[in-house]
Every structure is written in C-alpha cells, then in structure tokens.
Amino acid sequence: MGEQVIGCSGHTWEFYYSLFERNSLDNAGMKIIQTIHYGTNYQNTFWNGKQMVYGDGDGKIFASFTSDIDVIGHELTHGVQQFETNLEYKDESGALNESLADGFGIMIKQKVLNQDAGTSDWLIGENVLNWR
Ligand SMILES: [Zn+2]
C-alpha cells in the first residue's frame, strides 16, 4: 500500500518550476483555478481548458478526486500539454496525451515523496478508487 499524499496544485506548480523553470501551466504565470466538490457525487475530474474540476466521488467506488497528488498532477499536466503539444484529444494522439499525463502525475508524486523509480509504487489514483 502506497503512502497517501493529499495533493494540491502547489506540488505540481513546484515540480514544473523546480525541474523545468516553468512558470505555471502556460509558462506565463497563469493562475491555477480549481473547483472542488463539483456536482453531487460526481465521479471524475477534468481539465476543461481553463481550470481544474474535481468531483467528490460516490463514496462507494470513488472517494474524492483530490485524494491523490498523482491524479492532480495528471490533470494539471493536461493543462501544460494544452500549451506545449499538438496532441488532439482523440485516437492515438489522445492516448499519448493521457500517457504523458500519467507519466508526469507519478513523477510529481515521486518528487514529493522523495522516491525514485525503484521505491515508487507507480500507482495512480490508488486512494481515489475505493478498492480496499
Ligand atoms: Zn487524463
């Protein structure tokens, strides 16, 4: 079982700034706007092109989507990609977009937990999914 880090956008911001000297998602200091407790028992989270939106889950299958720093890092990386890639969100380019978001999401968790590839559990969203 992995260590839980309740995420915040600050971890993602710090990751991109300290490793890539990137100033926010657009590299121009944009504010990271986030809506939490979206809807009623909403079972997902997403970057809508302008801000993050997090549901609380239904408490059965999903817990709050803010329960994992890697999920937050994943979603905010979609924001970075909006400014840095031409990956249309469909078919193979959409799959690459998701893959990059997963890769950066887990790296953000590893940096916060001071882990490397050998000590990381490599799990994304393990606390969001109520599998215990
Ligand atoms: Zn995604």
Side-chain angles (χ1 to χ4, degrees):
M1 202 62 52
E3 184 176 351
Q4 182 176 12
V5 178
I6 300 293
C8 71
S9 61
H11 290 125
T12 299
W13 189 95
E14 170 62 23
F15 174 86
Y16 279 105
Y17 184 77
S18 65
L19 296 178
F20 303 105
E21 297 181 3
R22 184 173 189 82
N23 184 4
S24 193
L25 307 181
D26 63 352
N27 200 26
M30 76 180 286
K31 289 182 182 173
I32 299 177
I33 301 169
Q34 303 181 93
T35 296
I36 61 172
H37 306 300
Y38 175 76
T40 303
N41 301 327
Y42 186 70
Q43 299 193 65
N44 210 338
T45 182
F46 58 91
W47 168 255
N48 74 359
K50 295 181 178 169
Q51 71 158 91
M52 279 303 312
V53 179
Y54 300 95
D56 289 329
D58 63 357
K60 296 174 186 153
I61 298 172
F62 294 109
S64 168
F65 283 79
T66 59
S67 299
D68 282 301
I69 187 174
D70 41 69
V71 170
I72 295 169
H74 170 112
E75 296 300 336
L76 289 171
T77 296
H78 283 307
V80 172
Q81 290 188 79
Q82 175 181 322
F83 297 99
E84 294 297 336
T85 72
N86 267 335
L87 295 173
E88 186 179 0
Y89 200 77
K90 63 179 278 197
D91 301 327
E92 290 88 353
S93 65
L96 283 171
N97 189 315
E98 281 300 324
S99 177
L100 284 169
D102 276 344
F104 279 89
I106 194 68
M107 286 189 286
I108 290 162
K109 179 167 101 173
Q110 290 169 355
K111 183 175 186 303
V112 169
L113 294 176
N114 197 28
Q115 295 175 332
D116 61 22
T119 56
S120 173
D121 61 15
W122 292 94
L123 295 174
I124 304 240
E126 67 173 314
N127 298 298
V128 169
L129 185 60
N130 276 327
W131 58 315
R132 292 169 240 207

